[in-house]
Amino acid sequence: MNTLELTGLGPLYDALRRAGYTVIGPTVRDDAIVLAELDSIDHLPYGWGVRLAPGGYRLRRREDGAAFAHAAGPQSWKPFLHRPRVKLWEADRTGDGFEVQDHTPAPARLALLGVRPCDLRAIAIQDRVLTGGRHIDPSYAARRDGAFIVAVNCTEPGETCFCVSMGTGPQAGPGYDLALTELTGDNGPRYVVDVGTETGGLVMDDIQAGLAEPADVDRARAEVTAAADRMGREMPALDLRDLMAGSLEAERWDEVAERCLSCGNCTMVCPTCFCTRVTDTTDLTGDHAERWQLWDSCFDLDHSHLHGGDVRSSPKSRYRQWLTHKLGTWHDQFGSSGCVGCGRCIVWCPVGIDLTVEVAALNAETVQDGAG
């Protein structure tokens, strides 16, 4: 299909609303660019960028009116598909027993506007985890099946981004309905649009979008290519699975444990972490009970609790579990890495632990031990 163009995002937003979608996208709130339902296309973060550092995030004003010239914020798209709290069932006491009411997830019709290539890959990973096996998460499936994805190719990588070294960007891979590349100019941003699905094509037909100028297509491709050379971080080019398996007793784990707060921020902001726990609650009368599925974290001491004690009782063991699973044993479970190079875990770690630095340090220690 030919590449199309948009001179503004208003027609796309209106077409999605006409198609019955709730549009979720980035907006400025509480000094950060967050994801939320958009009541108007004017609520996009036009003219805002970010400065990122280990343990640091700041908004900055841009000289242009770009809507998507910011790197990954504190949220991924995970909370909109893999909900933090899901009611599984509730029960009420009756005169001769109790009645249980299952909660069937209601189908959602979400349009995700502004999905970065790294987050697009993360959604594909969550699809594999939560719907790709024998046991399907019904809440996730109900929200994911009706989702319309508008990806945005990255032309402004952040200081903590490393998607290129993870093979997840800056060009959007498969899985989008539409993919935009934002071009800025004196008259405001405009967009080169690649159509990924028949559903995406129908939306563009509704807009009656014209063909993109060849010069704009060439510029869009060139700016995405140039972004690949401006990554703020790089994951060392190693066999990460073998490195994780061969460094379980490395002294570096003790060093990082001295800094790690076991707060779980990295797992909360990570777009692929999927762990949950199930909790039962009752009201004060004991006549009403509910079962909920809640997000959990491998940094939580109770996460590994078994009868008789906690399997991973130290911060060292919990950080090692997180990193070796994300980069190593995830391959054994799901056939890919669990890291997409978004850099959120670096930015939102209170003490600025950088997993790319930790991998390099583990490798250096392993090489040194091998040479010795």
Side-chain angles (χ1 to χ4, degrees), residues 278-344:
V278 173
T279 184
D280 294 327
T281 63
T282 61
D283 65 6
L284 293 177
T285 67
D287 291 333
H288 180 79
E290 295 178 351
R291 174 165 289 181
W292 288 79
Q293 176 181 283
L294 310 174
W295 277 6
D296 203 357
S297 170
C298 54
F299 284 89
D300 187 339
L301 187 61
D302 289 340
H303 183 73
S304 67
H305 183 80
L306 298 174
H307 180 67
D310 303 309
V311 175
R312 290 183 285 273
S313 59
S314 67
K316 169 186 173 179
S317 64
R318 295 198 289 278
Y319 185 86
R320 184 175 59 190
Q321 157 64 22
W322 175 72
L323 192 63
T324 57
H325 183 216
K326 187 68 59 178
L327 301 180
T329 53
W330 204 292
H331 288 274
D332 301 320
Q333 284 184 284
F334 307 116
S336 74
S337 173
C339 177
V340 297
C342 69
R344 287 186 178 94

Short mmCIF file of all heavy atoms in Angstrom, two decimals, residues 278-344:
data_model
loop_
_atom_site.label_atom_id
_atom_site.label_comp_id
_atom_site.label_asym_id
_atom_site.label_seq_id
_atom_site.Cartn_x
_atom_site.Cartn_y
_atom_site.Cartn_z
N VAL A 278 -2.77 -13.15 43.72
CA VAL A 278 -4.22 -13.22 43.93
C VAL A 278 -4.49 -13.02 45.42
O VAL A 278 -3.83 -13.64 46.27
CB VAL A 278 -4.78 -14.58 43.45
CG1 VAL A 278 -6.24 -14.71 43.83
CG2 VAL A 278 -4.61 -14.71 41.94
N THR A 279 -5.44 -12.16 45.73
CA THR A 279 -5.77 -11.88 47.12
C THR A 279 -7.28 -12.00 47.33
O THR A 279 -8.06 -11.65 46.44
CB THR A 279 -5.29 -10.47 47.53
OG1 THR A 279 -5.54 -10.26 48.91
CG2 THR A 279 -5.97 -9.39 46.71
N ASP A 280 -7.66 -12.53 48.47
CA ASP A 280 -9.07 -12.66 48.85
C ASP A 280 -9.36 -11.68 49.98
O ASP A 280 -8.57 -11.54 50.93
CB ASP A 280 -9.38 -14.08 49.33
CG ASP A 280 -9.23 -15.10 48.22
OD1 ASP A 280 -9.51 -14.76 47.06
OD2 ASP A 280 -8.84 -16.25 48.51
N THR A 281 -10.50 -11.02 49.89
CA THR A 281 -10.92 -10.06 50.92
C THR A 281 -12.36 -10.33 51.31
O THR A 281 -13.14 -10.87 50.51
CB THR A 281 -10.80 -8.62 50.42
OG1 THR A 281 -11.68 -8.41 49.30
CG2 THR A 281 -9.37 -8.29 49.99
N THR A 282 -12.70 -9.96 52.53
CA THR A 282 -14.09 -10.04 52.99
C THR A 282 -14.46 -8.72 53.63
O THR A 282 -13.60 -7.96 54.08
CB THR A 282 -14.28 -11.17 54.02
OG1 THR A 282 -13.45 -10.91 55.15
CG2 THR A 282 -13.91 -12.52 53.42
N ASP A 283 -15.77 -8.45 53.69
CA ASP A 283 -16.21 -7.26 54.41
C ASP A 283 -16.26 -7.57 55.91
O ASP A 283 -15.98 -8.69 56.35
CB ASP A 283 -17.54 -6.76 53.87
CG ASP A 283 -18.69 -7.73 54.10
OD1 ASP A 283 -18.48 -8.77 54.78
OD2 ASP A 283 -19.80 -7.46 53.61
N LEU A 284 -16.61 -6.57 56.70
CA LEU A 284 -16.58 -6.73 58.15
C LEU A 284 -17.60 -7.74 58.65
O LEU A 284 -17.42 -8.36 59.71
CB LEU A 284 -16.82 -5.37 58.83
CG LEU A 284 -15.69 -4.34 58.63
CD1 LEU A 284 -16.08 -3.02 59.28
CD2 LEU A 284 -14.38 -4.85 59.19
N THR A 285 -18.68 -7.94 57.90
CA THR A 285 -19.70 -8.90 58.34
C THR A 285 -19.32 -10.33 58.02
O THR A 285 -19.87 -11.28 58.60
CB THR A 285 -21.04 -8.59 57.66
OG1 THR A 285 -20.94 -8.85 56.26
CG2 THR A 285 -21.44 -7.13 57.88
N GLY A 286 -18.41 -10.52 57.09
CA GLY A 286 -18.07 -11.86 56.64
C GLY A 286 -19.07 -12.43 55.66
O GLY A 286 -18.97 -13.60 55.27
N ASP A 287 -20.04 -11.63 55.23
CA ASP A 287 -21.08 -12.11 54.31
C ASP A 287 -20.72 -11.89 52.84
O ASP A 287 -21.40 -12.41 51.95
CB ASP A 287 -22.41 -11.41 54.61
CG ASP A 287 -23.00 -11.82 55.95
OD1 ASP A 287 -22.71 -12.96 56.38
OD2 ASP A 287 -23.72 -11.01 56.56
N HIS A 288 -19.72 -11.07 52.59
CA HIS A 288 -19.34 -10.77 51.20
C HIS A 288 -17.84 -10.94 51.05
O HIS A 288 -17.06 -10.44 51.86
CB HIS A 288 -19.74 -9.34 50.82
CG HIS A 288 -19.37 -8.97 49.41
ND1 HIS A 288 -20.11 -9.36 48.32
CD2 HIS A 288 -18.32 -8.24 48.91
CE1 HIS A 288 -19.56 -8.89 47.21
NE2 HIS A 288 -18.47 -8.21 47.54
N ALA A 289 -17.41 -11.66 50.02
CA ALA A 289 -16.00 -11.90 49.75
C ALA A 289 -15.70 -11.62 48.28
O ALA A 289 -16.57 -11.76 47.41
CB ALA A 289 -15.63 -13.35 50.08
N GLU A 290 -14.46 -11.20 48.02
CA GLU A 290 -14.03 -10.92 46.65
C GLU A 290 -12.63 -11.49 46.45
O GLU A 290 -11.81 -11.54 47.36
CB GLU A 290 -14.00 -9.41 46.39
CG GLU A 290 -15.36 -8.76 46.45
CD GLU A 290 -15.29 -7.27 46.22
OE1 GLU A 290 -14.16 -6.69 46.18
OE2 GLU A 290 -16.37 -6.65 46.08
N ARG A 291 -12.36 -11.91 45.23
CA ARG A 291 -11.02 -12.35 44.83
C ARG A 291 -10.52 -11.42 43.73
O ARG A 291 -11.20 -11.21 42.72
CB ARG A 291 -11.03 -13.79 44.36
CG ARG A 291 -9.67 -14.25 43.78
CD ARG A 291 -9.59 -15.75 43.65
NE ARG A 291 -9.50 -16.38 44.97
CZ ARG A 291 -9.40 -17.69 45.15
NH1 ARG A 291 -9.40 -18.51 44.10
NH2 ARG A 291 -9.31 -18.19 46.37
N TRP A 292 -9.30 -10.87 43.95
CA TRP A 292 -8.71 -9.92 43.02
C TRP A 292 -7.35 -10.42 42.54
O TRP A 292 -6.60 -11.04 43.29
CB TRP A 292 -8.51 -8.56 43.70
CG TRP A 292 -9.78 -7.80 43.94
CD1 TRP A 292 -10.69 -8.00 44.95
CD2 TRP A 292 -10.30 -6.74 43.14
NE1 TRP A 292 -11.73 -7.12 44.84
CE2 TRP A 292 -11.52 -6.32 43.74
CE3 TRP A 292 -9.85 -6.08 42.00
CZ2 TRP A 292 -12.29 -5.29 43.22
CZ3 TRP A 292 -10.62 -5.04 41.48
CH2 TRP A 292 -11.83 -4.66 42.08
N GLN A 293 -7.06 -10.12 41.28
CA GLN A 293 -5.72 -10.32 40.74
C GLN A 293 -5.04 -8.96 40.72
O GLN A 293 -5.57 -8.00 40.17
CB GLN A 293 -5.79 -10.88 39.31
CG GLN A 293 -4.43 -11.02 38.63
CD GLN A 293 -4.55 -11.54 37.23
OE1 GLN A 293 -4.77 -12.74 37.02
NE2 GLN A 293 -4.45 -10.67 36.24
N LEU A 294 -3.85 -8.87 41.32
CA LEU A 294 -3.12 -7.61 41.45
C LEU A 294 -1.72 -7.76 40.88
O LEU A 294 -1.12 -8.83 40.95
CB LEU A 294 -3.03 -7.19 42.93
CG LEU A 294 -4.32 -7.20 43.74
CD1 LEU A 294 -3.99 -6.89 45.21
CD2 LEU A 294 -5.30 -6.19 43.19
N TRP A 295 -1.19 -6.67 40.34
CA TRP A 295 0.21 -6.68 39.95
C TRP A 295 1.08 -7.04 41.15
O TRP A 295 0.79 -6.65 42.30
CB TRP A 295 0.63 -5.31 39.46
CG TRP A 295 0.29 -5.01 38.03
CD1 TRP A 295 -0.42 -5.77 37.18
CD2 TRP A 295 0.70 -3.84 37.32
NE1 TRP A 295 -0.51 -5.14 35.96
CE2 TRP A 295 0.16 -3.96 36.03
CE3 TRP A 295 1.43 -2.70 37.65
CZ2 TRP A 295 0.36 -2.97 35.06
CZ3 TRP A 295 1.62 -1.72 36.70
CH2 TRP A 295 1.10 -1.86 35.41
N ASP A 296 2.16 -7.74 40.89
CA ASP A 296 3.13 -8.05 41.92
C ASP A 296 4.52 -7.82 41.36
O ASP A 296 4.69 -7.55 40.15
CB ASP A 296 2.95 -9.50 42.39
CG ASP A 296 3.50 -9.73 43.79
OD1 ASP A 296 4.05 -8.79 44.38
OD2 ASP A 296 3.37 -10.86 44.29
N SER A 297 5.52 -7.93 42.20
CA SER A 297 6.90 -7.69 41.79
C SER A 297 7.81 -8.72 42.43
O SER A 297 7.64 -9.07 43.60
CB SER A 297 7.35 -6.28 42.22
OG SER A 297 8.75 -6.12 42.04
N CYS A 298 8.80 -9.18 41.67
CA CYS A 298 9.76 -10.12 42.23
C CYS A 298 10.68 -9.45 43.25
O CYS A 298 11.47 -10.14 43.92
CB CYS A 298 10.59 -10.78 41.12
SG CYS A 298 11.41 -9.63 40.02
N PHE A 299 10.58 -8.13 43.41
CA PHE A 299 11.32 -7.44 44.46
C PHE A 299 10.56 -7.45 45.79
O PHE A 299 11.11 -7.07 46.82
CB PHE A 299 11.63 -6.00 44.05
CG PHE A 299 12.75 -5.90 43.06
CD1 PHE A 299 12.51 -5.95 41.70
CD2 PHE A 299 14.06 -5.78 43.49
CE1 PHE A 299 13.54 -5.87 40.78
CE2 PHE A 299 15.11 -5.70 42.58
CZ PHE A 299 14.85 -5.75 41.21
N ASP A 300 9.31 -7.87 45.76
CA ASP A 300 8.52 -7.99 46.99
C ASP A 300 8.95 -9.25 47.73
O ASP A 300 9.01 -10.33 47.15
CB ASP A 300 7.04 -8.06 46.62
CG ASP A 300 6.13 -7.99 47.83
OD1 ASP A 300 6.59 -8.29 48.94
OD2 ASP A 300 4.94 -7.65 47.65
N LEU A 301 9.24 -9.10 49.00
CA LEU A 301 9.73 -10.24 49.78
C LEU A 301 8.73 -11.40 49.76
O LEU A 301 9.12 -12.57 49.70
CB LEU A 301 10.00 -9.80 51.22
CG LEU A 301 10.67 -10.83 52.13
CD1 LEU A 301 12.04 -11.22 51.59
CD2 LEU A 301 10.79 -10.27 53.55
N ASP A 302 7.44 -11.09 49.80
CA ASP A 302 6.42 -12.14 49.83
C ASP A 302 6.24 -12.85 48.48
O ASP A 302 5.59 -13.88 48.42
CB ASP A 302 5.08 -11.56 50.26
CG ASP A 302 5.06 -11.17 51.72
OD1 ASP A 302 5.91 -11.68 52.47
OD2 ASP A 302 4.20 -10.35 52.12
N HIS A 303 6.80 -12.27 47.42
CA HIS A 303 6.58 -12.84 46.09
C HIS A 303 7.11 -14.28 46.01
O HIS A 303 6.52 -15.13 45.34
CB HIS A 303 7.25 -11.97 45.03
CG HIS A 303 7.03 -12.44 43.62
ND1 HIS A 303 5.83 -12.31 42.97
CD2 HIS A 303 7.86 -13.06 42.73
CE1 HIS A 303 5.92 -12.81 41.75
NE2 HIS A 303 7.14 -13.28 41.58
N SER A 304 8.22 -14.54 46.69
CA SER A 304 8.81 -15.88 46.64
C SER A 304 8.52 -16.68 47.91
O SER A 304 9.18 -17.70 48.16
CB SER A 304 10.33 -15.78 46.43
OG SER A 304 10.96 -15.20 47.57
N HIS A 305 7.55 -16.24 48.71
CA HIS A 305 7.30 -16.93 49.97
C HIS A 305 6.62 -18.28 49.73
O HIS A 305 5.65 -18.40 49.00
CB HIS A 305 6.39 -16.07 50.86
CG HIS A 305 6.13 -16.68 52.21
ND1 HIS A 305 7.04 -16.60 53.24
CD2 HIS A 305 5.08 -17.42 52.67
CE1 HIS A 305 6.55 -17.24 54.29
NE2 HIS A 305 5.37 -17.74 53.97
N LEU A 306 7.19 -19.29 50.35
CA LEU A 306 6.60 -20.62 50.38
C LEU A 306 6.47 -21.04 51.83
O LEU A 306 7.04 -20.42 52.73
CB LEU A 306 7.47 -21.62 49.61
CG LEU A 306 7.67 -21.36 48.12
CD1 LEU A 306 8.68 -22.36 47.56
CD2 LEU A 306 6.36 -21.44 47.37
N HIS A 307 5.71 -22.08 52.06
CA HIS A 307 5.56 -22.58 53.43
C HIS A 307 6.94 -22.88 54.00
O HIS A 307 7.70 -23.67 53.45
CB HIS A 307 4.69 -23.83 53.46
CG HIS A 307 4.51 -24.39 54.83
ND1 HIS A 307 3.80 -23.74 55.80
CD2 HIS A 307 4.96 -25.54 55.40
CE1 HIS A 307 3.81 -24.46 56.92
NE2 HIS A 307 4.51 -25.56 56.70
N GLY A 308 7.28 -22.19 55.06
CA GLY A 308 8.58 -22.39 55.68
C GLY A 308 9.54 -21.24 55.50
O GLY A 308 10.56 -21.18 56.18
N GLY A 309 9.22 -20.28 54.60
CA GLY A 309 10.11 -19.13 54.47
C GLY A 309 10.10 -18.53 53.08
O GLY A 309 9.35 -18.95 52.19
N ASP A 310 10.95 -17.52 52.90
CA ASP A 310 11.07 -16.80 51.63
C ASP A 310 12.22 -17.39 50.81
O ASP A 310 13.34 -17.55 51.32
CB ASP A 310 11.33 -15.32 51.87
CG ASP A 310 10.24 -14.67 52.72
OD1 ASP A 310 9.06 -14.86 52.38
OD2 ASP A 310 10.58 -14.01 53.72
N VAL A 311 11.96 -17.70 49.56
CA VAL A 311 12.99 -18.28 48.70
C VAL A 311 14.09 -17.26 48.43
O VAL A 311 15.29 -17.58 48.48
CB VAL A 311 12.38 -18.77 47.37
CG1 VAL A 311 13.47 -19.26 46.43
CG2 VAL A 311 11.36 -19.88 47.64
N ARG A 312 13.70 -16.00 48.16
CA ARG A 312 14.69 -14.95 47.88
C ARG A 312 14.57 -13.88 48.97
O ARG A 312 13.84 -12.91 48.83
CB ARG A 312 14.45 -14.37 46.49
CG ARG A 312 14.80 -15.35 45.36
CD ARG A 312 14.63 -14.75 43.99
NE ARG A 312 13.23 -14.63 43.62
CZ ARG A 312 12.50 -15.58 43.04
NH1 ARG A 312 13.06 -16.75 42.78
NH2 ARG A 312 11.25 -15.38 42.73
N SER A 313 15.32 -14.08 50.02
CA SER A 313 15.18 -13.23 51.20
C SER A 313 16.08 -12.00 51.17
O SER A 313 15.87 -11.07 51.94
CB SER A 313 15.48 -14.04 52.47
OG SER A 313 16.80 -14.58 52.41
N SER A 314 17.08 -11.97 50.28
CA SER A 314 18.02 -10.84 50.26
C SER A 314 17.79 -9.97 49.03
O SER A 314 17.34 -10.46 47.99
CB SER A 314 19.46 -11.36 50.23
OG SER A 314 19.72 -12.02 49.00
N PRO A 315 18.10 -8.67 49.12
CA PRO A 315 18.03 -7.80 47.93
C PRO A 315 18.89 -8.32 46.78
O PRO A 315 18.51 -8.21 45.61
CB PRO A 315 18.55 -6.46 48.45
CG PRO A 315 18.22 -6.47 49.91
CD PRO A 315 18.42 -7.90 50.33
N LYS A 316 20.03 -8.89 47.12
CA LYS A 316 20.89 -9.47 46.09
C LYS A 316 20.17 -10.53 45.29
O LYS A 316 20.18 -10.52 44.05
CB LYS A 316 22.14 -10.07 46.73
CG LYS A 316 23.00 -10.92 45.80
CD LYS A 316 24.12 -11.60 46.56
CE LYS A 316 24.88 -12.58 45.68
NZ LYS A 316 25.99 -13.24 46.43
N SER A 317 19.51 -11.45 45.96
CA SER A 317 18.84 -12.55 45.27
C SER A 317 17.66 -12.05 44.45
O SER A 317 17.37 -12.59 43.38
CB SER A 317 18.38 -13.61 46.26
OG SER A 317 17.41 -13.09 47.16
N ARG A 318 17.00 -11.00 44.93
CA ARG A 318 15.83 -10.50 44.20
C ARG A 318 16.25 -9.72 42.95
O ARG A 318 15.64 -9.85 41.89
CB ARG A 318 14.96 -9.66 45.13
CG ARG A 318 14.36 -10.50 46.26
CD ARG A 318 13.19 -9.81 46.92
NE ARG A 318 13.56 -8.67 47.73
CZ ARG A 318 14.01 -8.72 48.98
NH1 ARG A 318 14.19 -9.90 49.56
NH2 ARG A 318 14.29 -7.63 49.66
N TYR A 319 17.30 -8.89 43.07
CA TYR A 319 17.78 -8.18 41.87
C TYR A 319 18.32 -9.18 40.85
O TYR A 319 18.07 -9.07 39.65
CB TYR A 319 18.86 -7.16 42.22
CG TYR A 319 19.28 -6.35 41.01
CD1 TYR A 319 18.58 -5.21 40.64
CD2 TYR A 319 20.33 -6.77 40.19
CE1 TYR A 319 18.93 -4.49 39.51
CE2 TYR A 319 20.69 -6.06 39.06
CZ TYR A 319 19.99 -4.92 38.73
OH TYR A 319 20.32 -4.21 37.59
N ARG A 320 19.06 -10.18 41.34
CA ARG A 320 19.60 -11.19 40.42
C ARG A 320 18.48 -11.95 39.72
O ARG A 320 18.56 -12.23 38.52
CB ARG A 320 20.50 -12.15 41.20
CG ARG A 320 21.19 -13.19 40.33
CD ARG A 320 22.15 -14.03 41.16
NE ARG A 320 21.45 -14.71 42.25
CZ ARG A 320 22.06 -15.35 43.22
NH1 ARG A 320 23.39 -15.40 43.27
NH2 ARG A 320 21.37 -15.96 44.17
N GLN A 321 17.42 -12.26 40.44
CA GLN A 321 16.27 -12.93 39.83
C GLN A 321 15.68 -12.09 38.72
O GLN A 321 15.38 -12.59 37.63
CB GLN A 321 15.21 -13.23 40.89
CG GLN A 321 13.79 -13.43 40.38
CD GLN A 321 13.63 -14.64 39.48
OE1 GLN A 321 14.43 -15.56 39.55
NE2 GLN A 321 12.59 -14.64 38.66
N TRP A 322 15.51 -10.79 39.01
CA TRP A 322 14.90 -9.91 38.00
C TRP A 322 15.76 -9.82 36.74
O TRP A 322 15.26 -10.02 35.63
CB TRP A 322 14.68 -8.51 38.59
CG TRP A 322 14.16 -7.52 37.59
CD1 TRP A 322 12.90 -7.48 37.05
CD2 TRP A 322 14.89 -6.46 36.98
NE1 TRP A 322 12.81 -6.44 36.15
CE2 TRP A 322 14.01 -5.80 36.08
CE3 TRP A 322 16.20 -5.98 37.11
CZ2 TRP A 322 14.41 -4.70 35.33
CZ3 TRP A 322 16.58 -4.88 36.35
CH2 TRP A 322 15.70 -4.26 35.48
N LEU A 323 17.05 -9.54 36.90
CA LEU A 323 17.89 -9.31 35.73
C LEU A 323 18.15 -10.61 34.96
O LEU A 323 18.12 -10.62 33.72
CB LEU A 323 19.22 -8.68 36.15
CG LEU A 323 20.07 -8.13 34.99
CD1 LEU A 323 19.33 -7.01 34.28
CD2 LEU A 323 21.42 -7.65 35.49
N THR A 324 18.40 -11.71 35.67
CA THR A 324 18.67 -12.96 34.96
C THR A 324 17.43 -13.49 34.25
O THR A 324 17.54 -14.12 33.19
CB THR A 324 19.23 -14.04 35.90
OG1 THR A 324 18.30 -14.25 36.98
CG2 THR A 324 20.57 -13.64 36.46
N HIS A 325 16.24 -13.22 34.80
CA HIS A 325 15.03 -13.61 34.10
C HIS A 325 14.81 -12.72 32.88
O HIS A 325 14.56 -13.21 31.77
CB HIS A 325 13.82 -13.52 35.03
CG HIS A 325 12.55 -13.99 34.39
ND1 HIS A 325 11.32 -13.41 34.65
CD2 HIS A 325 12.30 -14.99 33.50
CE1 HIS A 325 10.38 -14.02 33.95
NE2 HIS A 325 10.95 -14.98 33.24
N LYS A 326 14.92 -11.41 33.08
CA LYS A 326 14.64 -10.47 32.00
C LYS A 326 15.53 -10.71 30.79
O LYS A 326 15.07 -10.67 29.64
CB LYS A 326 14.84 -9.04 32.52
CG LYS A 326 14.42 -7.93 31.57
CD LYS A 326 12.94 -7.88 31.35
CE LYS A 326 12.17 -7.68 32.65
NZ LYS A 326 10.71 -7.60 32.43
N LEU A 327 16.82 -10.94 31.03
CA LEU A 327 17.79 -11.05 29.95
C LEU A 327 18.17 -12.48 29.61
O LEU A 327 18.73 -12.73 28.54
CB LEU A 327 19.06 -10.28 30.30
CG LEU A 327 18.90 -8.79 30.57
CD1 LEU A 327 20.24 -8.16 30.91
CD2 LEU A 327 18.25 -8.07 29.38
N GLY A 328 17.89 -13.44 30.50
CA GLY A 328 18.35 -14.80 30.30
C GLY A 328 17.25 -15.82 30.15
O GLY A 328 16.92 -16.25 29.03
N THR A 329 16.64 -16.21 31.26
CA THR A 329 15.70 -17.33 31.22
C THR A 329 14.38 -16.98 30.54
O THR A 329 13.59 -17.89 30.24
CB THR A 329 15.41 -17.85 32.65
OG1 THR A 329 14.99 -16.75 33.48
CG2 THR A 329 16.66 -18.47 33.24
N TRP A 330 14.15 -15.70 30.28
CA TRP A 330 12.99 -15.33 29.45
C TRP A 330 13.07 -16.03 28.09
O TRP A 330 12.05 -16.43 27.53
CB TRP A 330 12.95 -13.81 29.27
CG TRP A 330 11.61 -13.22 28.96
CD1 TRP A 330 10.89 -13.38 27.81
CD2 TRP A 330 10.83 -12.35 29.79
NE1 TRP A 330 9.72 -12.66 27.87
CE2 TRP A 330 9.67 -12.03 29.08
CE3 TRP A 330 11.02 -11.81 31.07
CZ2 TRP A 330 8.68 -11.18 29.60
CZ3 TRP A 330 10.05 -10.97 31.58
CH2 TRP A 330 8.89 -10.67 30.85
N HIS A 331 14.28 -16.16 27.57
CA HIS A 331 14.47 -16.87 26.30
C HIS A 331 13.96 -18.30 26.40
O HIS A 331 13.33 -18.81 25.46
CB HIS A 331 15.95 -16.87 25.92
CG HIS A 331 16.48 -15.55 25.47
ND1 HIS A 331 16.40 -15.12 24.16
CD2 HIS A 331 17.10 -14.56 26.16
CE1 HIS A 331 16.95 -13.93 24.06
NE2 HIS A 331 17.38 -13.56 25.25
N ASP A 332 14.22 -18.95 27.52
CA ASP A 332 13.79 -20.34 27.68
C ASP A 332 12.28 -20.45 27.77
O ASP A 332 11.69 -21.42 27.27
CB ASP A 332 14.42 -20.94 28.95
CG ASP A 332 15.93 -20.91 28.91
OD1 ASP A 332 16.50 -21.18 27.84
OD2 ASP A 332 16.55 -20.61 29.95
N GLN A 333 11.64 -19.47 28.41
CA GLN A 333 10.19 -19.51 28.57
C GLN A 333 9.44 -19.06 27.33
O GLN A 333 8.44 -19.68 26.94
CB GLN A 333 9.78 -18.61 29.74
CG GLN A 333 10.05 -19.18 31.12
CD GLN A 333 9.53 -18.25 32.19
OE1 GLN A 333 10.13 -17.22 32.49
NE2 GLN A 333 8.40 -18.60 32.76
N PHE A 334 9.90 -17.96 26.73
CA PHE A 334 9.08 -17.30 25.71
C PHE A 334 9.79 -17.06 24.38
O PHE A 334 9.22 -16.46 23.48
CB PHE A 334 8.58 -15.96 26.26
CG PHE A 334 7.89 -16.08 27.59
CD1 PHE A 334 8.42 -15.48 28.72
CD2 PHE A 334 6.72 -16.81 27.72
CE1 PHE A 334 7.80 -15.58 29.96
CE2 PHE A 334 6.09 -16.93 28.94
CZ PHE A 334 6.63 -16.32 30.07
N GLY A 335 11.03 -17.49 24.26
CA GLY A 335 11.70 -17.43 22.97
C GLY A 335 12.27 -16.08 22.59
O GLY A 335 12.59 -15.85 21.42
N SER A 336 12.39 -15.17 23.53
CA SER A 336 12.96 -13.85 23.24
C SER A 336 13.48 -13.25 24.53
O SER A 336 13.27 -13.79 25.62
CB SER A 336 11.91 -12.92 22.63
OG SER A 336 10.99 -12.47 23.62
N SER A 337 14.14 -12.11 24.42
CA SER A 337 14.51 -11.35 25.60
C SER A 337 13.26 -10.70 26.17
O SER A 337 12.29 -10.42 25.46
CB SER A 337 15.53 -10.28 25.25
OG SER A 337 15.77 -9.42 26.34
N GLY A 338 13.28 -10.43 27.47
CA GLY A 338 12.19 -9.69 28.10
C GLY A 338 12.46 -8.21 28.17
O GLY A 338 11.66 -7.46 28.73
N CYS A 339 13.59 -7.76 27.61
CA CYS A 339 13.96 -6.33 27.62
C CYS A 339 13.82 -5.78 26.21
O CYS A 339 14.28 -6.39 25.25
CB CYS A 339 15.39 -6.16 28.12
SG CYS A 339 15.99 -4.46 28.09
N VAL A 340 13.23 -4.59 26.10
CA VAL A 340 13.04 -3.95 24.80
C VAL A 340 13.86 -2.68 24.64
O VAL A 340 13.74 -1.99 23.64
CB VAL A 340 11.55 -3.65 24.54
CG1 VAL A 340 10.75 -4.95 24.47
CG2 VAL A 340 10.97 -2.71 25.59
N GLY A 341 14.68 -2.32 25.64
CA GLY A 341 15.56 -1.17 25.50
C GLY A 341 14.91 0.17 25.69
O GLY A 341 15.44 1.19 25.21
N CYS A 342 13.78 0.24 26.41
CA CYS A 342 13.09 1.52 26.60
C CYS A 342 13.79 2.42 27.60
O CYS A 342 13.60 3.64 27.58
CB CYS A 342 11.64 1.29 27.02
SG CYS A 342 11.44 0.60 28.69
N GLY A 343 14.57 1.84 28.52
CA GLY A 343 15.32 2.61 29.49
C GLY A 343 14.54 3.08 30.70
O GLY A 343 15.09 3.78 31.56
N ARG A 344 13.28 2.71 30.82
CA ARG A 344 12.47 3.19 31.95
C ARG A 344 13.05 2.75 33.29
O ARG A 344 13.02 3.50 34.27
CB ARG A 344 11.03 2.69 31.83
CG ARG A 344 10.21 3.37 30.74
CD ARG A 344 8.75 2.89 30.80
NE ARG A 344 7.93 3.55 29.80
CZ ARG A 344 7.69 3.04 28.58
NH1 ARG A 344 8.25 1.88 28.23
NH2 ARG A 344 6.92 3.68 27.74
#
